[in-house]
Amino acid sequence: MASLTKHWNPGLTWLCFALLVHSVASLLLPGIAPRDYKEGEDVPLSVNEMTSVRTQLPMDYFKTHAVNSQCGVVADKSAEVSANLGELLSGQMMSPTSYKIQMLRSLKCQIACKDQLSAELKETIKQMIRSVFAMFFFLNLLTWAKGSSGAVPFTTMFAVLVLWFGISVPLVYLGAAAAYKRESIGFPCRVNSIPRPIPPQPWFLRPWLLCLVGGILPFGAVFTELFFIMSSLWQHQFYYLFGFVVLVYLVLVITCAEVSIALTYFQLTAEDYRWWWRSFFVSGTSALYVFGYSLMYLGTRLQIVNVVSIVVYVGYMAMISAAFFLLTGCIGFIATFFFVRAIYGSIKVD
């Protein structure tokens, strides 16, 4: 203790504490690279779209007719900032403007432009603001017909098709060929060729009731985080808690596995051996709660008044819920499969 007190440096301790506080206060949003500007240097300003809480169809900034070259906007579509595939799929097309902004130079009450809008033009602007691949293509046609910038260009859709048929499909056949050469999974014990009669089951082991009850826990595991993810998707809010969402995903995997295993065990103790599809639907039914929550989110958090926007929202949430159903169902079935093999493999048959 005397040696520790002798070499203790108060200044170094306070310096480390200050650095720790500074690092905690720092924030870097994903996808936004920091850049240093010198005093007086021009800072470019780009625009992408106009959004509203009353519609989920973003409008191209240059197609609103309320902004033009007189208001400091360069409507040169050839000068668009390059975007990655994710930005193209979400309709995030950046375009430069001619607004003059300089680093550390304050300008107060500067008039950007003056323009007289007719009553017809004002009404047009108001209408614009208010306003799985086959389903995705159908929804994309709806957004394209509305003149929304969120519509995926045809060239981008063609590139996605090339990636799908050029990479995903060959990998599927390659995996099938490799699996065909492997030995099939055998039963851990002897199985009768004649199915055994199943005794009458109690009311609480009915399939529809097991599925409804089993889907509550996986949905409850992601309920809180689902709110922030949907706010990021539909209300244009930043989401940067990716480490926490990985933790939530692990909790979801564990919950789906435990729920399917527990309910399958109750089913097997009641001498009902039809557990294959039931183990899939028990955890997969959580997608039904996700879709129901999305409808509640539509009615309570969003202010959509356009029919096309509602169709787009419900369509995309239906596809997301279907993907969630496949994910959670597969997790539950795989976990139950290994559980059943383990318990039946431990049976000693003389």
Side-chain angles (χ1 to χ4, degrees), residues 46-260:
S46 301
V47 295
N48 58 345
E49 60 188 20
M50 295 184 65
T51 59
S52 171
V53 295
R54 295 183 178 273
T55 178
Q56 294 304 320
L57 298 178
M59 305 304 300
D60 193 318
Y61 194 83
F62 297 110
K63 290 184 179 179
T64 58
H65 303 290
V67 288
N68 48 47
S69 58
Q70 296 179 357
C71 290
V73 179
V74 178
D76 184 10
K77 302 301 289 184
S78 62
E80 289 181 343
V81 181
S82 60
N84 55 39
L85 180 59
E87 292 172 337
L88 290 175
L89 291 175
S90 60
Q92 299 292 332
M93 300 297 297
M94 304 296 295
S95 300
T97 66
S98 61
Y99 290 109
K100 300 299 182 181
I101 301 177
Q102 294 179 337
M103 191 66 179
L104 298 178
R105 297 291 174 83
S106 299
L107 293 176
K108 297 182 180 180
C109 300
Q110 296 292 322
I111 299 177
C113 65
K114 291 183 179 181
D115 197 2
Q116 296 293 332
L117 302 180
S118 62
E120 181 181 358
L121 183 56
K122 292 179 181 179
E123 186 63 26
T124 302
I125 297 174
K126 292 180 181 179
Q127 292 297 331
M128 288 182 177
I129 296 177
R130 294 174 183 173
S131 349
V132 202
F133 194 82
M135 187 174 185
F136 171 75
F137 183 74
F138 172 72
L139 296 175
N140 191 68
L141 285 179
L142 292 179
T143 56
W144 176 78
K146 278 297 199 178
S148 172
S149 62
V152 179
F154 176 77
T155 54
T156 304
M157 296 185 65
F158 180 76
V160 173
L161 281 176
V162 172
L163 291 175
W164 178 266
F165 290 103
I167 298 178
S168 298
V169 174
L171 288 178
V172 169
Y173 284 100
L174 181 62
Y180 183 77
K181 297 179 181 179
R182 297 175 62 91
E183 296 183 1
S184 60
I185 300 177
F187 296 104
C189 60
R190 188 177 59 185
V191 180
N192 294 330
S193 58
I194 301 176
R196 182 176 51 82
I198 299 175
Q201 300 294 304
W203 64 270
F204 55 85
L205 289 182
R206 295 178 180 178
W208 63 269
L209 184 59
L210 288 178
C211 293
L212 290 179
V213 173
I216 295 177
L217 290 179
F219 171 73
V222 299
F223 169 75
T224 304
E225 200 64 20
L226 185 62
F227 171 80
F228 297 102
I229 294 176
M230 293 188 64
S231 298
S232 175
L233 288 175
W234 302 110
Q235 293 189 342
H236 312 287
Q237 298 181 6
F238 282 109
Y239 184 84
Y240 47 86
L241 301 176
F242 297 104
F244 187 75
V245 78
V246 172
L247 179 62
V248 172
Y249 174 74
L250 295 178
V251 174
L252 174 65
V253 171
I254 296 174
T255 305
C256 291
E258 291 181 347
V259 168
S260 295

Side-chain angles (χ1 to χ4, degrees), residues 274-318:
R274 299 170 300 182
W275 61 270
W276 289 73
W277 280 107
R278 196 171 302 180
S279 64
F280 185 92
F281 284 105
V282 161
S283 56
T285 313
S286 57
L288 183 63
Y289 293 96
V290 172
F291 185 72
Y293 176 77
S294 67
L295 297 180
M296 185 186 69
Y297 188 89
L298 172 64
T300 58
R301 293 290 178 176
L302 301 179
Q303 303 177 18
I304 302 178
V305 295
N306 188 276
V307 177
V308 176
S309 299
I310 296 177
V311 173
V312 171
Y313 174 84
V314 175
Y316 277 117
M317 288 309 304

Side-chain angles (χ1 to χ4, degrees), residues 12-59:
L12 181 60
T13 303
W14 283 108
L15 177 61
C16 294
F17 179 75
L19 292 176
L20 178 62
V21 173
H22 178 72
S23 62
V24 171
S26 301
L27 175 64
L28 176 61
L29 296 177
I32 302 179
R35 178 182 173 184
D36 295 331
Y37 290 93
K38 299 179 181 179
E39 183 177 356
E41 184 179 357
D42 292 336
V43 179
L45 176 64
S46 301
V47 295
N48 58 345
E49 60 188 20
M50 295 184 65
T51 59
S52 171
V53 295
R54 295 183 178 273
T55 178
Q56 294 304 320
L57 298 178
M59 305 304 300

